[in-house]
Amino acid sequence: MNAQQLVDERGDLWLALAPLWLDREPSERDYARMVEVIERYDMTLSELEWMFRLEMAPVMSRHQLSIASEWRQFDDYKLMKQLVNHNMRLKGWRRKSWALFSGLTTMMVRHRWNALMNRVAVARGEQV
C-alpha cells in the first residue's frame, strides 16, 4: 500500500480521532463527529481497537510526551505525514512490538476511547 492509499483509506478517520489526544476532554460535539466519521467505515469494534492501538497511538502518544507538542490543536498536514510514515513501516517485528506495548501508548486516552466506543456501540444498536 502506498502513502496516497493510506490517506484515502484512513485519513479522515485518523484526523477525526486525533482530538482524543488533545489536552482537553472531548465535548459531546467532538464525540458525535467521531462517531459520524467512524460510521462511514465498515470496521468492527475490534478492528477499530487495533487501528487505535497500532496505527494511531504510537504516533499520537509522542505528542503527549513531548514538551514542545501542540496541545490545543494539531497541524493536520504534519500529523497526517507522521501517521502515514508510521503506517508505511508498520510490518513484521514493528507491528508485533507496537502490539506488545500498545497498553502503554494508549493508557493516557483509554478512558476517552472507551467512552467513544460506548457511543459507537449505542449508535449501532450493539451491546455496550
Side-chain angles (χ1 to χ4, degrees):
M1 184 175 302
N2 67 37
Q4 187 59 51
Q5 285 175 304
L6 272 172
V7 171
D8 293 344
E9 290 181 15
R10 290 280 208 259
D12 290 340
L13 184 58
W14 288 339
L15 291 178
L17 298 178
L20 292 171
W21 280 270
L22 292 175
D23 70 337
R24 61 174 173 74
E25 287 297 319
S27 67
E28 282 304 317
R29 182 183 298 162
D30 293 330
Y31 280 122
R33 167 95 172 100
M34 290 177 211
V35 170
E36 177 187 318
V37 172
I38 287 170
E39 288 304 292
R40 288 190 227 145
Y41 291 80
D42 188 26
M43 296 176 76
T44 66
L45 295 180
S46 178
E47 290 169 331
L48 287 165
E49 174 71 24
W50 284 106
M51 184 270 315
F52 166 68
R53 287 176 163 213
L54 299 178
E55 295 176 19
M56 291 192 74
V59 173
M60 303 305 294
S61 62
R62 290 183 201 135
H63 284 275
Q64 284 183 313
L65 298 174
S66 171
I67 295 171
S69 180
E70 298 170 19
W71 280 92
R72 295 281 174 213
Q73 64 184 15
F74 294 111
D75 174 338
D76 289 350
Y77 178 77
K78 182 179 172 185
L79 182 59
M80 187 62 64
K81 227 173 127 177
Q82 292 169 339
L83 287 163
V84 167
N85 287 337
H86 166 75
N87 281 278
M88 293 291 291
R89 296 186 315 262
L90 193 59
K91 295 173 180 70
W93 67 269
R94 287 177 194 222
R95 184 174 201 80
K96 290 175 185 172
S97 294
W98 285 120
L100 179 63
F101 292 106
S102 65
L104 294 172
T105 59
T106 61
M107 94 176 133
M108 297 287 285
V109 296
R110 176 54 66 183
H111 65 287
R112 294 174 181 177
W113 179 256
N114 290 341
L116 175 60
M117 289 300 97
N118 285 339
R119 286 168 172 82
V120 170
V122 167
R124 293 178 176 181
E126 297 177 10
Q127 285 287 353
V128 178

